[in-house]
Amino acid sequence: MALGIRKQVLTVLMQGAAVPVIGGLCVRLASALRGPYKDKKYLANLTCNPYISPKAQIWAKDLEIGPQCFVDDYVTIYAHPDGGRIVLGEGVHLYRGTIVEVGAGGSVVIGPHTHIQSNCNLKGFLGNLHIGANVQMAPGCGFSPYEHKFEDTSRPIREQGITTRGDIVIEDDVWLGLGVYVLDGVRIGKGAVIGAGSVVTRDIPAYAIAAGVPAKVIRYRGRRAVEA
């Protein structure tokens, strides 16, 4: 199939993705005409409709998916009955194996053009998870805006409920390296970089470069580095 004709066919199919009854079939046909894995990102940019893989699992009553989002194979978006909102802003990418889960009144909100690579775990329980725009997240990152209670040794931990120190906030243009974990009550400032394998237990200032367990500021980026 000539490239021009192929693009026209894919565009028509993605336009049909939002049509009741036939939408799922249109997405499956479009997927079959593209290559594997990230080759399918192309489909999210053809129209204003998001691309949601037929192999994704989605179960959420209060879900907002913006235009040109890309939801890859085997992504799970799940809200417990007592969960809050899940919002994917325009152009958000969720890659395979990533789980977005909310419960106990918590929400997850992801800003425009944020890309979340494979096997990340994003939770909103009690506290909320707010991720800004243009955030780059490497594979295997995790966010937990709650902790289990464990003080009562006479009962299993699973029976003691959960608690939180507050929301997790990741501001715009943050880069999180491979396998970063962020705990409840933490704010990571705009433009910060967090090194691979770090555990973030306290706030990180804007434009800081931080790493370690627990994560500590090593230096600052650009002009901030000179000023520091």
Side-chain angles (χ1 to χ4, degrees):
M1 186 183 298
L3 291 178
I5 296 175
R6 179 186 290 267
K7 182 177 180 180
Q8 291 176 10
V9 170
L10 290 172
T11 300
V12 170
L13 289 172
M14 287 307 298
Q15 287 172 339
V19 178
V21 181
I22 67 168
L25 177 59
C26 288
V27 172
R28 285 178 171 81
L29 290 173
S31 297
L33 292 172
R34 287 299 295 175
Y37 194 30
K38 293 185 179 180
D39 279 358
K40 291 183 172 61
K41 290 191 300 181
Y42 176 80
L43 300 173
N45 297 319
L46 287 174
T47 69
C48 288
N49 293 329
Y51 171 81
I52 302 173
S53 169
K55 296 179 181 179
Q57 292 185 318
I58 298 177
W59 187 265
K61 62 183 179 181
D62 193 358
L63 171 63
E64 179 183 333
I65 300 181
Q68 297 187 322
C69 284
F70 177 80
V71 179
D72 198 8
D73 296 350
Y74 311 116
V75 166
T76 298
I77 300 174
Y78 181 80
H80 294 265
D82 58 354
R85 296 190 307 152
I86 298 175
V87 179
L88 308 183
E90 179 178 355
V92 166
H93 289 193
L94 300 179
Y95 289 100
R96 60 188 55 189
T98 287
I99 297 174
V100 181
E101 183 181 4
V102 297
S107 296
V108 173
V109 178
I110 305 173
H113 307 293
T114 284
H115 291 182
I116 297 172
Q117 299 298 325
S118 58
N119 298 311
C120 290
N121 195 310
L122 285 64
K123 290 184 177 179
F125 282 78
L126 288 186
N128 303 306
L129 171 60
H130 296 276
I131 299 175
N134 297 303
V135 172
Q136 299 299 302
M137 191 181 302
C141 292
F143 304 82
S144 182
Y146 72 95
E147 302 289 344
H148 286 278
K149 298 177 181 178
F150 55 83
E151 294 299 331
D152 186 351
T153 58
S154 68
R155 292 189 297 152
I157 292 174
R158 67 179 177 83
E159 295 179 357
Q160 295 185 44
I162 57 177
T163 185
T164 182
R165 295 185 301 161
D167 298 347
I168 293 174
V169 179
I170 313 298
E171 296 185 2
D172 298 347
D173 194 32
V174 169
W175 174 24
L176 302 173
L178 184 70
V180 169
Y181 293 94
V182 183
L183 302 187
D184 54 321
V186 166
R187 176 182 290 267
I188 298 179
K190 181 178 179 179
V193 176
I194 310 298
S198 298
V199 178
V200 187
T201 62
R202 63 183 65 183
D203 292 353
I204 303 296
Y207 302 106
I209 299 173
V213 182
K216 296 180 180 179
V217 175
I218 300 170
R219 61 183 179 89
Y220 287 86
R221 296 173 55 200
R223 293 180 60 185
R224 285 293 303 275
V226 175
E227 293 167 2

